[in-house]
Amino acid sequence: MADKFSWITEGIEELKAHNLYSAVPTVTSPSGAVMTINDHEVINLCSNDYLGLANHEGLKRKAIAALEERGVGPGATRRGTGTSDIHVAFEKTIAEFKGAEAALGFQSGFMANLTVITSFMGKDDAIFSDELNHASIIDGCRLSGARNVRYKHNDMEDLRRVIGETQGYRRGMIVTDGVFSMDGDIAPLPDIVEIAEAHNLISMVDDAHGEGVLGRSGRGLVDHFDLIGRIDLEIGTMSKAFGVMGGYLAADKRLVEWVTQRGRGFTFSTGITPADAAASLGAVELLMESGELVEKLWSNTRYFQGALKDLGFNTGRTVTPITPVILGEEGLTHQFASELMTLGIGTLPIIYPVVAKGQSRLRVMLSAALSNELMNRGISAFEQVGRRLGVIG
Ligand SMILES: *Cc1c(COP(=O)(O)O)cnc(C)c1O
């Protein structure tokens, strides 16, 4: 019988032939400054655990207590019997942290985007979306059936142009990543808010890489720009700086209520576990108590990025702890990553189709968990491999 999946075998071979294949590494340690990845102990410059909270003792205690008291799973969807008082407390606290009236939790940031966009936008509507927005925003826009109008990355003139050229829609929305995770640059939110207000458009920002990083004590990009109350829909994730799992919407009560009624990812899919909710609540409380970890993250960022630039690496346009080391060619990028790995340094190669061809890079993620000694070992490995491969002089 003919193999009906031979196209997959060919597809995988094709990816490998073009250096576009990315293996999935296996981790056998907790997330932390040093991790065991594929049985190698490496300095972790490759996770989104910005504040080192993924293995935080206090948060683990809270998760364990919730697990002991409430069990391993919620047993039903959030609209059924799956909403515990821990979920409610988390949502109340994250709303307060973000300066919003209300919040609603989801299983992930990805699910939050799919659910929220499709709750507000339908086939008669138009969405103005940055061309470099996260995959989950793009998929949410597609799924909504709305007209999907892309504008050039962070280009406000182009945004104004496409809004002017788009006619005959019922409702409109501007949606953007807050921090763009491939380059570490940020959206010009003050301009976006102004444009949205001028055209009576819904404004939506996904702050996945901004919260825990930017703003007062990590309150995120909206706080950073002093725009609290002026973004209609704010999406976040608990899986990055907060170190746990889950996503959320922070917005006015009326808008949150709408998603509890119309959001398909809320209605038809079970929420996070009580343990996840308890750890998430604890992570937000931790940042409300102290900005110390956020400050440490930034001092590590200045130190590491400064050293890479001094060595002559191209770190692009980052203004956040996301540190692209742009190498260009896919093969070179894979080789650089694997030589760093041999030296005990874990970085993430980012290649086409995640970024444009010829724009491949290693992504270094800084964390408050890193000591100076570990960062110095990372920097000298970059220097050694960079010289050997002719990337720096
Ligand atoms: C990581 C990320 C997400 C997805 O968050 P998860 O909680 O991992 O699903 C969504 N949006 C942006 C901008 C992200 O960087």
Side-chain angles (χ1 to χ4, degrees), residues 191-207:
D191 296 329
I192 288 174
V193 165
E194 209 180 289
I195 295 169
E197 287 173 353
H199 293 86
N200 203 27
L201 301 168
I202 297 170
S203 55
M204 171 165 165
V205 61
D206 175 351
D207 205 23

Side-chain angles (χ1 to χ4, degrees), residues 48 107-111 113 134 136-137 177-179 181 206-209 235-240 245-247:
N48 301 319
Q107 303 84 342
S108 69
F110 202 112
M111 187 64 107
N113 276 324
H134 190 264
S136 56
I137 296 179
D177 275 25
V179 173
S181 55
D206 175 351
D207 205 23
H209 282 278
I235 297 296
T237 178
M238 299 312 292
S239 67
K240 288 175 177 142
M245 172 91 230

